[in-house]
Amino acid sequence: MAIPVIDFSKLNGEERANTLAQIANACEEWGFFQLVNHGISEELLERVKKVASEFYKLEREENFNKSKLVSNLLDESGEKLENVDWEDVITLLDDNEWPSKTAGFQETLKEYRFELKKLAEKVMEVMDENLGLPKGYIKEAFNNGENGAFFGTKVSHYPPCPHPERVNGLRAHTDAGGVILLFQDDKVGGLQVLKDGQWIDVQPLPNTIVINTGDQIEVLSNGRYKSAWHRVMSSTSGNRRSIASFYNPSLTATIAPAPQLVEKTNQEEAVEQTKYPKFVFGDYMSVYVQQKFLPKEPRFQAVSAM
């Protein structure tokens, strides 16, 4: 069993119908797929790899190696570390402070984010089409709050771990938001997705973009598309680079199953056929930060009670 790999460029030719079907199947059966020929230039992706690696070496590695996480793992107890991840991470937003010491980092990542946001919106339009929704439905749903959709980028590194049996790179979770676009290391593996009770490796492939669906796509699709559980395993070798970007609703956006996806013959039946509550995304996030690594169904129950 392997994560679907889909040629995004074939949406523009004779194989469009087949490519749409591949993406629909990946969203329904996996919640994860890899895109090749996605329209982001290899030259830009190579620059992203270069500046991300240089950034870690120059601005992050020393502090990570001095961290309490490392000292706790080097003790002699042998106990598994709970409630922590073997990960170095920063988050880039349009309006927060960015690293400034690594040459080319800001310019390259800003260009990359610009291109990736366009790709995210194309992927959402494909989801609209496959779900039978009007073009732009998901984008509009995510942008219906005061400040527009949220687009953030996490630059993570998973350094070599001396005791991978004692700590995960990143504990198993589903993503809270909408569409997640991951540019992962093309040599060092570790990302796994849960499929039919089995953990399946998301195989490293050069310059692909991994797409996964978050909890809000599950809600909007009324459960047709599921957010997938995934995790990162730590390893004794290699420093795994992971750059994940999140196209999420505005915190003030109201999220609910699309009416077109709720089967109904009368109003009472419509309530029964709606599998998810209607809520404000910011309320969902306040629940999620407390329950990220716990089963997701209670999150929906908690937010419906707010």
Side-chain angles (χ1 to χ4, degrees), residues 87-99:
E87 176 189 39
D88 177 80
V89 59
I90 65 157
T91 301
L92 305 176
L93 308 173
D94 287 338
D95 57 358
N96 70 341
E97 189 174 343
W98 285 38

Side-chain angles (χ1 to χ4, degrees), residues 157-169:
H157 285 86
Y158 301 91
C161 179
H163 296 289
E165 74 284 356
R166 291 178 57 194
V167 64
N168 281 337

